[in-house]
Every structure is written in C-alpha cells, then in structure tokens.
Amino acid sequence: MPTVLSSGATITTSSATTVWISWVSASTDISASGVWSVWNGSTAGTTTNSNSPHINYQPRQLTAAEREAQERRHAEQQTRLNKQREEEAAAKERALTLLRESIDAEQQAQFDRDKSFIVQGQSGKRYRVRHGWSGNVDELDGAGGVVARYCIHPQISVPVEDNMVIQKLMLEADEKRFLSIANKMVVRQPVPA
Amino acid sequence: MTGELRVLGKEGDTKVIWDAAKEDEVTAARATFDTLKKKGYFGYKVEKDGGKGEIIHQFDPEAEKIIMALPMRGG
C-alpha cells in the first residue's frame, strides 16, 4: 500500500486510482489539493508537492461593498423577472379574452368543457382546435374521429390562445393556405359521414 | 361607428381604434393595416359576436373588428 502523508507534505503514490481510494477512505489527514495534484498529474510513480500556489486556491472573501453590489444585482434581476412574469400573465389574459370574443356560444361551451372547439372549414370539413401550440388541430371524419393532425403556428412566439384564434380564422376563411402551410400527419382513413 | 384593429403579437394583442366618421383616425388605422400587411400579416374582418371571419386585403373602415394575424409556419 502506498503511503499517503498529511496535508501539505509530499505525497507519493503509484497511481491516480490509489490516490482516489485514499481520498474517499476514512483518512482525515489528506488535503484536497494534495490529492488533486497527484490525480491530475502522471500516474507512473509521480511525486508531487502539494504546496504549489495554484492548487492552494481559496476563494477571496467579498468586501462589504462587493456584497452589497452583488445583492443589488440579484434584486434588479429578480425585479426584471417579476416584471416579465406579470407581462406574460397580462398577455395571456388579453389573448384569452380575444379568443372568447372570436368564438361563438357553442364553441365557448366546448372550450370551457375541454379546452377545444370545433371549426367548420371553407371546404365543409370539420376540425377540432385544441389548446396548444403545435400539432393541436385535428381533422375529423363524419363520425367525429381524428383522421389527420396539423401543425401550424405563428413564426414568433405568442400566447397559445392567439395561436388558436389565427388557426380558426384561417380554417374558416383561408383553408387552402392553412393546408398548404401546415405539416400534416395522417392518423387513419376517414369514416364516411 | 367605432371599429377596432387587433394586432396579435408577442405581448398579446394591441388595439387600434377608429371612428369611421373621423378621417384622421381612419387614416391612422389604415396606415397600421398597410404596414402590417407589408410585414406578412393577414387581415381578417370578424363580427363582434364571434362569427366567421373573412380575409380582407384592404383596410375596411366600416368593419367592426379586424384581426391582424401573424405570418404562420408549419410546425
């Protein structure tokens, strides 16, 4: 067994593994810096002095002014985060209001029930717009089963409810463009009405 | 008659309101509409009770509500 000497003194070992084993053992007289210097160096009978300045790094204590500046930075960051959260909540609230204004009474009841509503496209096909950002538009067959799923959303991030408003408007008034843009995933063959 | 332009964006929608009888307000709303169209937005004229929308390519000062929808892409 190699000899591991006390902290600050020269350590001699034949391998990094041995140093590791010694480090995790019950030994209390070995310093992290001593172990590190051997672990980091050559593993073939390396002798390393553990007192090199670069391995005896101790974090500097902050001055009172530095601590104050740090706390101020943290407080400013927290204020910014809180403001951002408030703005996002307000945007979501406005988007939900617009969505409710943009759907009829039956669609509102559907939305209240399960966060989705049925839209009739220009072609007569029926779609279900579910609450979501992507892959949230289902094409339905005559029996109400899902035959395809569409993924289409704005090019920039907006509240999800605004995304649903646009999807509804496109299906009702601009269905061809909707279908030309959206990525489609076929689920199964349609069942006739 | 008062109309509103609802512009969808990152912060939710913003409103531009105009009185069809006031030329300066109509002009301002039309300018907003045209600017957004150039950026790739699409305008949908909708009724205030949530009825079906109709795509419009020119500003309609008699519209009750116009929703300006952002450019879309496949996900």
Side-chain angles (χ1 to χ4, degrees):
Chain A
M1 277 293 283
T3 303
V4 179
L5 303 182
S6 58
S7 169
T10 303
I11 300 171
T12 304
T13 180
S14 60
S15 75
T17 306
T18 309
V19 170
W20 176 249
I21 291 168
S22 302
W23 169 246
V24 298
S25 72
S27 169
T28 56
D29 62 351
I30 182 169
S31 72
S33 55
V35 170
W36 177 248
S37 68
V38 177
W39 176 256
N40 210 25
S42 164
T43 58
T46 303
T47 303
T48 306
N49 188 316
S50 66
N51 283 329
S52 303
H54 73 281
I55 58 172
N56 285 327
Y57 173 74
Q58 295 290 333
R60 181 177 64 80
Q61 292 293 324
L62 296 178
T63 64
E66 284 170 336
R67 264 200 305 280
E68 216 176 284
Q70 190 179 61
E71 281 161 18
R72 210 168 34 246
R73 278 196 302 274
H74 287 160
E76 283 165 7
Q77 189 180 35
Q78 195 56 47
T79 302
R80 272 198 302 276
L81 277 171
N82 289 344
K83 186 165 180 263
Q84 188 184 340
R85 283 193 196 115
E86 281 170 15
E87 284 170 358
E88 282 170 0
K92 189 173 173 66
E93 195 56 42
R94 279 200 297 282
L96 186 56
T97 301
L98 179 63
L99 175 61
R100 288 195 177 281
E101 290 172 5
S102 303
I103 54 180
D104 61 30
E106 189 183 345
Q107 290 167 327
Q108 283 187 37
Q110 290 166 351
F111 185 74
D112 289 338
R113 203 166 48 239
D114 53 24
K115 289 276 185 280
S116 71
F117 51 84
I118 306 291
V119 172
Q120 183 159 11
Q122 278 176 305
S123 63
K125 282 185 191 167
R126 293 190 321 145
Y127 299 87
R128 179 172 52 225
V129 178
R130 288 179 282 105
H131 189 267
W133 179 252
S134 60
N136 66 309
V137 178
D138 301 329
E139 180 186 332
L140 308 176
D141 62 15
V146 178
V147 297
R149 192 148 281 155
Y150 294 92
C151 188
I152 177 173
H153 51 74
Q155 291 178 5
I156 63 169
S157 177
V158 300
V160 163
E161 292 78 10
D162 280 347
N163 180 35
M164 296 171 76
V165 167
I166 301 174
Q167 290 166 340
K168 177 199 183 264
L169 290 172
M170 285 187 82
L171 286 167
E172 289 174 340
D174 207 2
E175 189 180 3
K176 271 191 188 163
R177 195 168 64 90
F178 176 98
L179 295 173
S180 72
I181 294 172
N183 283 328
K184 176 181 179 179
M185 183 180 75
V186 175
V187 175
R188 62 176 176 79
Q189 291 303 312
V191 171
Chain B
M1 193 210 73
T2 302
E4 61 180 34
L5 197 67
R6 305 285 281 271
V7 182
L8 304 186
K10 216 169 154 186
E11 295 83 25
D13 65 285
T14 51
K15 268 190 211 177
V16 174
I17 296 174
W18 73 93
D19 182 340
K22 295 184 178 171
E23 199 179 321
D24 54 342
E25 290 182 12
V26 169
T27 302
R30 178 178 283 116
T32 302
F33 181 94
D34 292 342
T35 300
L36 291 169
K37 281 284 293 173
K38 283 182 187 152
K39 288 184 182 175
Y41 280 64
F42 282 82
Y44 294 87
K45 183 166 85 170
V46 297
E47 287 162 15
K48 286 194 172 172
D49 63 356
K52 283 190 182 181
E54 168 197 343
I55 193 166
I56 57 173
H57 300 287
Q58 287 186 346
F59 178 71
D60 181 356
E62 301 302 320
E64 290 181 351
K65 187 199 287 187
I66 299 173
I67 295 177
M68 299 303 294
L70 297 109
M72 303 286 270
R73 64 180 175 95

